[in-house]
Amino acid sequence: MAEIYIGEEDYRSFEDKTFGDYLEQRYPELYAKALAVKFASEKKDLSARIPGPGKIEVLTFETEEGREIFWHSSAHILAQAIKRLYPDAKFDDGPALKHGPGHFFYDIYLEHKISEDDFPRIEEEIAKIVKEDLPLKRRTMSRQEALAYFQQKGEIFKVDILKRLSDNTEISLYRQGEFEDLCRGPHIPSTGKAGVFKLTAVSGAYWKGDAANPMLQRVYGVSFPTQEELEKYLAKLEEARKRDHRKLGQELKLFLFVEEGPGFPFYLPRGTVLFNTLCEYIREECVKRGYVEIRTPIMLSQDLWVRSGHYENYREHMYFSEVEKKGFAIKPMNCPGSILVYQSELRSYRDLPLRQAELGLVHRHELSGVLHGLFRVRSFTQDDAHIYCTYEQLEGEIEKAISFTKEVYERFGFKNILVYLATRPEKSMGSEEAWQKATQALIKALAKTGTAYQVKEGEGAFYGPKIEFNIEDALERHWQCGTIQVDFNLPERFALEYIGPDGKKHQPVMIHRAILGSLERFMAILLEHYNGKLPLWLSPVQVKILTISQEQLVYAQEVLQELRKAEIRCELDDSNEKISYKIRQWNAEKINYAVIIGRKEAAEKLISVRSRGHQETETMPLEQFLEKLRAEIAQKNCVN
RNA sequence: GCUGCCUUAGCUCAAUCGGUAGAGCAACUGCCUUGUAAGCAGUAGGUUGCCAGUUCGAUUCUGGCAGGCAGCUCCA
């Protein structure tokens, strides 16, 4: 970022001038790129008067704050274009974005339904506005004046925004040509600096984000200073589209969705291997840390869910059924089942902490509109666990769970992990004191493990506060995976107890935790993260044997048997095709290794090995290849 | 669930103005006996998502339903 100091003397000669004037004279090259400035940690328009000597930070498209201003101004230009084409459009809000389907959007009320077919017309009008190079002029007025002004223009949404502001706020407006918008600013100096645009999406958005409110139309767009940058962005989008796990899942034959089961994934043979491999990994890691594993039924009596509070607090996400006039529910969570296992024996303090893991299949009714490949489904398997411990053990157990979680993410190569602390929601049960204690325990453990986190107010589970772990995928999207929750409520509701050293009954505390979260979601993240090129230990098919001609079939079968005996996941391509065709197929399947067998290899009882992403082959005895595979699998290396 | 868009062979996509559908890949069969990213030929594959309506006639127009996509709201 360019920083400039305007000294006492210099300032005197620019006393009545603007930042723009100053830059234009002193730093013409920088002026050409400047969008706005930051002075005394306040963002200002270039047309703002210099208030005094000091540091000026010049905001250009190269800076994050500069881009935000650029895109915010883009939203204004979008609105202006729409107003020109549809004069009865009313505008709500049009901010810049950090993530999502565009750099900016504008929420609009308009009778005409804007469709993608309208985009070219709107884009054309935007280009005209950019070409007109209209200066953006700021003016201020009182809130009362602004209210009257927008009322008279019929901009009812702007009026609503103004009504929510306090009375002594100074209101600023920005005008570009015939279009004027309520806005805090700052903005780029003129529409000529806005560059090239592309509209990317149109959809509905609830007014003020409330589902009870009517819907506005939200038009999304992207913009860049130059055409090249726009094209580069579009190419990146295309790359992301190719990485979509839904597409990879189909191409690699991993999983399937059918009309008969919306949101209920089917695992194909290869996807099942991946699923099972992840389960095995989690099991091993749990065993190392003193967990025991249980399995509980998918369907349990409705009374149980009433007792646990799910019926009261979670009903809209549950599936119900009736058998012999008795109500049943399919489990949306594993905790009540786990509790019944805890209660099956009289527990002693010597049994605690009891770490009870379950790879549990849960069903949750999700609204149809939120389903999204494996990221968002209606039935999924959680790598769940419930830890029953004494109050004294609580913090230590949370700390262990935090480091366990971090270790697992590291294994898969996820570097960026965001942690949140979600506190008591409105719809929840239990005493305020229990919530306080539980939340404090989480905070202490976070501090002790040196975990940076942000607070999500009111986003906890209905029975307790939670730590949420989000990992960042290759497309820089964040996905919630792991969670650690402290629960005083379910032990209370189910009257859980253990016999203490004093021979008396005490109530244990419960920790709910999941690391991968949903195996389905985690698989999807892995697929996008690795672009379908799974590391060897996770690959459904690790090796494919390709014969040069039918002559080598017998030897190829022998090699296949040997590899399978060594528990290598292996397939043989015995089709009557040329080797180049088989290589092409092998590559498309993203299988880690190809073993190529021709006349030479068969004669010498050797194999030729080619690895994914490489052109060269290496000829070796089968045993040597097996050693190499064993070593690589044992490493569970996830760096490609 | 809400708003908008989409649905044609296993997959990716065509089909003019309303005249009952085609291609490539995959599959299958045969030929070639193949040396590192598509060998050649042939065969089969469809109630155009489902149900109504308009029409002499609907893949095409209208309505409803289902599923999908993007976003909103929600979330592991």
Side-chain angles (χ1 to χ4, degrees):
Chain A
M1 184 191 304
E3 290 185 357
I4 289 161
Y5 292 87
I6 173 161
E8 196 71 53
E9 224 167 284
D10 219 6
Y11 169 66
R12 242 169 268 137
S13 49
F14 281 92
E15 208 160 344
D16 282 327
K17 298 282 174 23
T18 66
F19 291 105
D21 297 331
Y22 178 72
L23 289 175
E24 190 174 13
Q25 284 208 20
R26 290 284 194 270
Y27 305 91
E29 269 175 48
L30 199 51
Y31 175 69
K33 290 197 296 178
L35 301 173
V37 296
K38 208 167 162 186
F39 189 86
S41 61
E42 244 184 277
K43 282 177 260 181
K44 297 273 190 189
D45 294 311
L46 288 182
S47 60
R49 198 162 288 169
I50 307 176
K55 185 175 78 178
I56 303 170
E57 292 172 45
V58 180
L59 303 178
T60 65
F61 192 77
E62 278 95 69
T63 67
E64 197 181 320
E65 286 169 311
R67 282 192 293 276
E68 197 198 320
I69 290 164
F70 185 86
W71 289 329
H72 186 184
S73 300
S74 296
H76 279 228
I77 294 169
L78 166 64
Q80 182 174 20
I82 286 174
K83 186 77 183 171
R84 282 185 183 179
L85 297 171
Y86 309 99
D88 51 344
K90 307 252 182 285
F91 297 97
D92 182 33
D93 193 18
L97 291 172
K98 285 204 172 68
H99 295 282
H103 290 148
F104 58 88
F105 65 76
Y106 220 114
D107 279 348
I108 301 151
Y109 177 80
L110 181 61
E111 280 300 317
H112 168 79
K113 297 286 178 215
I114 295 173
S115 79
E116 288 185 18
D117 301 336
D118 298 319
F119 286 0
R121 275 182 72 207
I122 302 171
E123 284 164 352
E124 219 170 280
E125 197 59 47
I126 287 171
K128 261 191 227 162
I129 294 168
V130 173
K131 206 169 166 201
E132 285 165 24
D133 197 13
L134 307 166
L136 275 88
K137 289 187 190 142
R138 184 178 197 266
R139 63 171 174 142
T140 57
M141 53 176 72
S142 74
R143 197 179 73 111
Q144 283 310 321
E145 285 172 310
L147 269 171
Y149 177 72
F150 283 104
Q151 197 107 53
Q152 160 259 315
K153 293 210 330 179
E155 289 285 354
I156 49 174
F157 301 102
K158 299 293 180 191
V159 169
D160 186 82
I161 293 169
L162 285 166
K163 277 185 180 159
R164 282 179 279 150
L165 295 173
S166 80
D167 201 31
N168 43 21
T169 323
E170 187 187 56
I171 304 300
S172 61
L173 285 78
Y174 280 80
R175 174 176 287 282
Q176 55 201 67
E178 80 288 355
F179 180 78
E180 189 165 41
D181 199 356
L182 170 69
C183 190
R184 191 176 295 144
H187 277 285
I188 61 174
S190 75
T191 59
K193 287 217 172 190
V196 291
F197 283 64
K198 183 160 178 62
L199 301 186
T200 51
V202 56
S203 76
Y206 295 115
W207 181 40
K208 290 193 262 187
D210 188 336
N213 283 337
M215 267 196 162
L216 303 173
Q217 300 192 67
R218 177 170 292 182
V219 181
Y220 289 91
V222 294
S223 64
F224 288 95
T226 64
Q227 184 70 28
E228 288 102 291
E229 284 162 292
L230 174 64
E231 272 160 27
K232 235 170 92 185
Y233 173 85
L234 294 175
K236 214 176 120 187
L237 272 191
E238 176 61 21
E239 179 56 34
R241 206 181 57 76
K242 281 190 207 153
R243 263 183 189 236
D244 190 312
H245 76 275
R246 291 166 296 187
K247 195 169 146 67
L248 288 168
Q250 187 185 53
E251 285 168 1
L252 304 179
K253 299 188 177 171
L254 297 172
F255 53 84
L256 174 72
F257 284 96
V258 295
E259 206 175 310
E260 289 83 349
F264 300 103
F266 283 56
Y267 283 91
L268 300 174
R270 290 184 181 192
T272 305
V273 173
L274 177 53
F275 176 89
N276 286 338
T277 308
L278 286 171
C279 289
E280 270 163 46
Y281 165 68
I282 280 296
R283 284 198 174 103
E284 282 167 22
E285 295 303 314
C286 282
V287 167
K288 283 183 198 167
R289 291 167 178 82
Y291 283 75
V292 292
E293 186 181 354
I294 60 166
R295 292 173 63 74
T296 69
I298 279 177
M299 208 176 185
L300 290 162
S301 126
Q302 191 167 312
D303 304 340
L304 176 74
W305 300 102
V306 171
R307 185 162 190 197
S308 69
H310 284 82
Y311 189 81
E312 181 61 30
N313 294 286
Y314 207 74
R315 195 176 11 188
E316 63 272 30
H317 293 288
M318 292 172 67
Y319 293 100
F320 292 95
S321 177
E322 201 186 279
V323 184
E324 291 185 353
K325 292 185 188 147
K326 200 171 175 312
F328 282 83
I330 301 177
K331 66 175 176 183
M333 295 186 196
N334 302 302
C335 27
S338 170
I339 286 172
L340 296 181
V341 173
Y342 180 89
Q343 289 179 316
S344 67
E345 280 183 51
L346 184 60
R347 306 288 178 177
S348 130
Y349 72 97
R350 293 171 184 277
D351 299 326
L352 305 185
L354 176 65
R355 307 187 187 97
Q356 216 165 242
E358 172 169 18
L359 289 157
L361 176 63
V362 297
H363 288 70
R364 297 183 184 175
H365 175 72
E366 300 289 349
L367 296 178
S368 57
V370 309
L371 302 177
H372 183 94
L374 288 182
F375 280 145
R376 205 62 194 280
V377 287
R378 285 174 171 157
S379 73
F380 56 100
T381 303
Q382 291 180 304
D383 62 326
D384 211 349
H386 299 92
I387 301 165
Y388 303 84
C389 63
T390 67
Y391 186 66
E392 290 68 38
Q393 292 166 334
L394 182 58
E395 252 178 73
E397 285 304 308
I398 299 169
E399 280 167 45
K400 284 196 185 103
I402 291 173
S403 33
F404 189 178
T405 305
K406 287 181 181 170
E407 281 159 40
V408 168
Y409 296 157
E410 212 163 290
R411 161 61 62 208
F412 292 98
F414 292 110
K415 304 239 160 55
N416 261 345
I417 297 160
L418 289 91
V419 181
Y420 298 95
L421 175 70
T423 59
R424 182 169 193 168
E426 253 175 64
K427 203 171 182 186
S428 57
M429 59 190 197
S431 74
E432 193 49 42
E433 193 207 340
W435 276 86
Q436 283 294 333
K437 269 168 43 180
T439 310
Q440 280 311 311
L442 289 176
I443 289 172
K444 277 190 196 158
L446 282 168
K448 217 159 170 202
T449 51
T451 310
Y453 65 94
Q454 285 174 284
V455 176
K456 279 190 182 175
E457 219 63 70
E459 308 241 323
F462 70 84
Y463 46 79
K466 60 182 180 183
I467 297 173
E468 290 178 2
F469 294 89
N470 285 39
I471 60 180
E472 187 180 277
D473 72 11
L475 309 176
E476 291 177 339
R477 288 176 304 187
H478 297 161
W479 290 100
Q480 190 181 328
C481 294
T483 172
I484 300 174
Q485 304 158 3
V486 173
D487 180 5
F488 288 93
N489 284 308
L490 290 176
E492 174 72 34
R493 283 189 161 238
F494 283 91
L496 296 187
E497 45 189 43
Y498 66 90
I499 308 299
D502 55 2
K504 288 182 186 150
K505 288 176 178 172
H506 300 270
Q507 195 169 87
V509 189
M510 229 177 133
I511 301 169
H512 308 237
R513 56 106 280 208
I515 295 175
L516 305 182
S518 143
L519 275 117
E520 284 72 9
R521 176 179 288 182
F522 200 79
M523 261 174 63
I525 295 168
L526 287 181
L527 283 174
E528 301 205 353
H529 194 65
Y530 300 132
N531 193 16
K533 294 174 189 164
L534 293 164
L536 188 65
W537 70 285
L538 291 172
S539 255
V541 182
Q542 297 165 313
V543 177
K544 193 158 186 180
I545 302 170
L546 316 177
T547 53
I548 301 288
S549 81
Q550 304 292 81
E551 248 176 61
Q552 296 91 37
L553 268 186
V554 174
Y555 178 55
Q557 292 280 4
E558 276 171 39
V559 173
L560 177 69
Q561 288 313 313
E562 285 305 310
L563 283 163
R564 285 190 172 160
K565 248 192 249 172
E567 292 182 26
I568 300 301
R569 299 187 285 266
C570 185
E571 286 182 5
L572 168 63
D573 184 348
D574 58 1
S575 66
N576 201 0
E577 294 285 353
K578 307 282 182 281
I579 189 67
S580 48
Y581 180 87
K582 294 185 186 182
I583 293 273
R584 190 185 147 82
Q585 292 300 312
W586 161 75
N587 230 315
E589 289 175 285
K590 307 193 181 198
I591 293 168
N592 305 66
Y593 291 99
V595 163
I596 294 144
I597 293 176
R599 190 171 287 170
K600 275 184 286 181
E601 288 83 356
E604 296 170 45
K605 296 283 172 193
L606 294 171
I607 57 169
S608 287
V609 177
R610 180 168 161 166
S611 70
R612 188 177 61 201
H614 295 88
Q615 303 253 304
E616 63 279 7
T617 54
E618 200 187 336
T619 304
M620 60 180 87
L622 179 59
E623 193 46 44
Q624 188 184 331
F625 181 49
L626 273 174
E627 278 310 310
K628 180 182 154 73
L629 290 173
R630 285 193 193 108
E632 194 179 332
I633 291 167
Q635 266 194 350
K636 291 194 172 68
N637 204 336
C638 282
V639 183
N640 274 314

